[in-house]
């Protein structure tokens, strides 16, 4: 079982307040008021290894405050403006399973399954 807390700070490009018109149809402008994203993660894992196979299964939950998202709006002239905003929060949870099996020295197989849900508030 593990718990972690992380801070994701905005990169300089997403905070740059100057309008980028290098693509006249898709203008970009950063938001200098972006707040850092705070992430809380919890994970519960199980691992089992035998001679020819191994299994790893995990349950996880991640909650983020001040989620940094890309926002596209259409301007009156028909062009679009891409900027960045802080969403209130997001919740991600799911299960992941990975299995490995060895058939011979030259052949093995791996199967991975990940089922998750993501909600942005």
């Amino acid at each position: 079982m593990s718990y972690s807390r992380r801070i994701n700070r905005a990169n300089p490009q997403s905070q740059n307040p100057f309008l980028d018109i290098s693509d006249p149809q898709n203008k970009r402008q950063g938001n200098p008021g972006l707040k850092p994203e705070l992430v809380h993660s919890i994970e519960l894992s199980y691992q089992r290894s035998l001679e020819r196979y191994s299994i790893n299964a995990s349950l996880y939950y991640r909650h983020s405050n001040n989620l940094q998202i890309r926002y596209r709006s259409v301007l009156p002239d028909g062009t679009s403006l891409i900027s960045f905003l802080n969403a209130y929060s997001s919740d991600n949870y799911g299960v992941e399973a990975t299995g490995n099996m060895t058939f011979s020295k030259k052949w093995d197989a791996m199967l991975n399954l990940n089922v998750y849900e993501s909600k942005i508030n």
Side-chain angles (χ1 to χ4, degrees):
M1 182 171 180
S2 69
Y3 169 79
S4 67
R5 183 173 182 220
R6 186 175 67 235
I7 297 175
N8 291 336
R9 301 195 188 281
N11 65 38
Q13 185 178 6
S14 62
Q15 291 183 318
N16 184 357
F18 299 107
L19 187 63
D20 176 4
I21 55 171
S22 57
D23 179 356
Q25 296 300 314
N26 299 294
K27 301 169 185 168
R28 294 179 58 102
Q29 184 174 27
N31 179 357
L34 280 177
K35 298 175 186 173
E37 182 178 336
L38 305 172
V39 182
H40 299 272
S41 298
I42 298 172
E43 184 174 340
L44 178 64
S45 295
Y46 173 79
Q47 184 174 5
R48 173 80 182 206
S49 296
L50 294 175
E51 278 185 35
R52 298 185 59 184
Y53 72 90
S54 66
I55 297 172
N56 187 3
S58 299
L59 293 170
Y60 60 89
Y61 172 75
R62 184 178 313 121
H63 177 78
S64 301
N65 289 320
N66 296 325
L67 180 68
Q68 297 169 8
I69 60 172
R70 189 181 323 211
Y71 179 75
R72 181 185 299 259
S73 57
V74 178
L75 300 175
D77 64 358
T79 63
S80 67
L81 175 65
I82 301 167
S83 188
F84 299 87
L85 298 173
N86 285 112
Y88 179 69
S89 67
S90 73
D91 294 299
N92 302 302
Y93 50 90
V95 62
E96 182 174 16
T98 303
N100 291 315
M101 182 156 187
T102 303
F103 297 106
S104 69
K105 288 184 179 182
K106 292 184 179 182
W107 295 96
D108 61 358
M110 181 176 80
L111 178 66
N112 184 294
L113 173 69
N114 188 1
V115 178
Y116 71 95
E117 183 165 353
S118 179
K119 295 181 181 179
I120 298 175
N121 302 316

